[in-house]
Amino acid sequence: YPLCALAVSDERPIDALPMTIKDLQDSQTFLLYECLGDAVKAESNPHTQAKLVQKLMTIPNNNWCQITVLAQHNVAELAKPDRVKHLRHIITINYRVAKSIGKGFFIQFSRMFETAMNIYAVQAAHIREQVQRGGPNTASNYEIRLLLAYKTDVLKWLQECMKHISPNDMQVFRDKVIPQTLKTVLPDYQSSHPTTRNPWVLSLCAEVIERIGNLNDRNQWAPDSPSSRFVEQIFEHTFHCTLDMIRKNMEDFTEHRLNFFQLIRVTNRTCFQVIFRMNKEKIDTVVQSVMWAFQHLEKKRFRRRGFRSWRRCSRTWSFPTSGTTFSSSISW
């Protein structure tokens, strides 16, 4: 059935998916799922839309369950290249459908989330173990590159889902999704070798702060509030280890630089009072990190993000006029 003929209530293209996708390449399968997601999004009845989402995701969900059952008997299955490829295929379908359906995807996200985080943790630990045993060059091995690619897929999927969280799901998002996400990705980011740290973690953290900044809660940035603790947790696990990566020169780890400065910018714009409550050393480091962005003379994106962050800082903070420079506060 041609996609252009799909009415909102017409489930025939979804029913025909097993036969339709069996001869398709992966890229074609992803596109087909995304197009069907657009059709499902057009359903105005939330209950009917939820049923369509579940029906659309039947095949990837069944495949996901098969892999998780195998992993329960032998966790080493999760590191096998064929299994990782299959997992990447499933996560990519979920990413494309989340992108097209938007907030209506949350029912599917809730089903996948906890298991996806458990698999992420297992594979992250395997990567760290292999790199520790074989050295940084291990990161170039096919198996490790495949696992790193899977982690990227999961992080992109998480960020895409977070973009579309509806107001009705924000409480669950803040109370369950964010804590589990940060608990899984942040310690791994901090303890990983720089060559295996994923810049999408920084981008995901910026999205988390952006989303909780939209909550209509007068006390959400109070000193002991969950939102404030999230921000402090993010900075505790990402700030200094990322600075150590990018301060040696102005060329290495380009994506980390971009996402790091974006994280500072979003935090400053959304919840500058959390940064302001940090001790003087941390505040100085944040400010000087913004100034460091200006020094990337050949990278307009760095300077632009640094300027935006500095402009926000200058509007909200009063800085003492000391002669301290970035190079004196941090050994570049």
Side-chain angles (χ1 to χ4, degrees):
Y1 299 99
L3 288 177
C4 59
L6 177 61
V8 173
S9 59
D10 187 357
E11 300 181 18
R12 289 178 297 171
I14 297 178
D15 292 332
L17 265 177
M19 292 296 296
T20 304
I21 66 176
K22 68 177 184 178
D23 295 323
L24 297 182
Q25 297 178 0
D26 284 352
S27 59
Q28 295 171 322
T29 300
F30 300 150
L31 180 60
L32 175 60
Y33 269 96
E34 186 173 351
C35 292
L36 290 172
D38 282 324
V40 170
K41 182 180 181 179
E43 173 57 57
S44 59
N45 185 301
H47 179 69
T48 304
Q49 187 185 70
K51 289 177 60 178
L52 289 172
V53 171
Q54 291 178 321
K55 193 168 187 177
L56 176 62
M57 303 305 294
T58 298
I59 296 175
N61 283 345
N62 289 341
N63 293 336
W64 182 262
C65 289
Q66 290 174 8
I67 295 175
T68 55
V69 169
L70 288 172
Q72 289 174 359
H73 294 89
N74 182 12
V75 73
E77 288 285 335
L78 296 177
K80 293 182 177 179
D82 287 344
R83 296 282 182 237
V84 179
K85 288 180 182 178
H86 207 168
L87 288 169
R88 290 194 66 198
H89 184 89
I90 297 169
I91 288 294
T92 302
I93 289 176
N94 275 266
Y95 168 76
R96 298 291 286 269
V97 175
K99 187 176 180 180
S100 60
I101 292 181
K103 63 182 180 181
F105 187 78
F106 191 73
I107 185 173
Q108 168 68 10
F109 174 76
S110 300
R111 175 174 182 165
M112 294 272 295
F113 172 70
E114 186 173 350
T115 308
M117 290 293 92
N118 291 337
I119 294 176
Y120 185 101
V122 169
Q123 296 192 338
H126 180 74
I127 293 171
R128 294 195 305 272
E129 179 184 348
Q130 293 299 314
V131 173
Q132 184 176 8
R133 183 183 302 172
N137 291 335
T138 307
S140 62
N141 293 350
Y142 174 71
E143 176 187 335
I144 300 301
R145 286 191 288 110
L146 200 58
L147 291 171
L148 290 171
Y150 171 77
K151 287 175 62 179
T152 298
D153 293 338
V154 173
L155 293 168
K156 292 172 65 176
W157 171 67
L158 287 170
Q159 184 169 344
E160 187 63 36
C161 292
M162 289 181 183
K163 289 179 181 177
H164 304 293
I165 297 292
S166 70
N168 294 334
D169 297 319
M170 284 300 293
Q171 195 65 37
V172 175
F173 172 69
R174 185 176 69 175
D175 295 344
K176 295 183 178 180
V177 175
I178 295 179
Q180 181 63 36
T181 299
L182 299 185
K183 179 182 177 181
T184 303
V185 304
L186 291 183
D188 171 62
Y189 181 88
Q190 185 179 38
S191 59
S192 293
H193 189 275
T195 58
T196 61
R197 285 192 187 128
N198 198 310
W200 278 91
V201 171
L202 302 173
S203 180
L204 177 65
C205 289
E207 186 66 36
V208 167
I209 295 173
E210 189 93 59
R211 295 300 293 160
I212 58 180
N214 294 331
L215 289 172
N216 188 18
D217 184 352
R218 293 177 57 188
N219 299 317
Q220 77 173 45
W221 300 122
D224 295 326
S225 68
S227 297
S228 292
R229 288 197 295 270
F230 293 151
V231 176
E232 293 166 359
Q233 188 178 358
I234 287 170
F235 269 70
E236 184 69 27
H237 285 85
T238 65
F239 204 87
H240 285 287
C241 64
T242 306
L243 276 178
D244 288 340
M245 293 168 59
I246 68 174
R247 67 185 183 180
K248 296 178 181 178
N249 57 54
M250 297 186 184
E251 298 298 332
D252 295 340
F253 304 109
T254 301
E255 291 302 316
H256 291 80
R257 293 173 192 272
L258 283 169
N259 294 345
F260 179 64
F261 294 135
Q262 175 68 6
L263 174 61
I264 295 175
R265 176 172 173 256
V266 169
T267 306
N268 186 40
R269 184 184 69 234
T270 306
C271 51
F272 66 90
Q273 57 269 57
V274 179
I275 299 179
F276 195 71
R277 286 196 299 266
M278 297 178 182
N279 59 45
K280 183 180 182 300
E281 180 182 358
K282 290 182 178 180
I283 293 177
D284 286 346
T285 306
V286 172
V287 175
Q288 302 294 351
S289 296
V290 176
M291 296 174 64
W292 176 243
F294 293 147
Q295 300 184 36
H296 292 73
L297 299 179
E298 297 180 1
K299 303 289 186 180
K300 292 183 179 179
R301 290 180 295 175
F302 294 129
R303 287 185 296 171
R304 183 166 59 248
R305 292 186 181 187
F307 175 73
R308 289 172 180 171
S309 296
W310 180 257
R311 184 172 57 184
R312 176 64 180 173
C313 287
S314 64
R315 289 175 179 173
T316 54
W317 296 352
S318 295
F319 299 106
T321 56
S322 64
T324 304
T325 63
F326 200 14
S327 57
S328 63
S329 60
I330 301 178
S331 299
W332 298 103

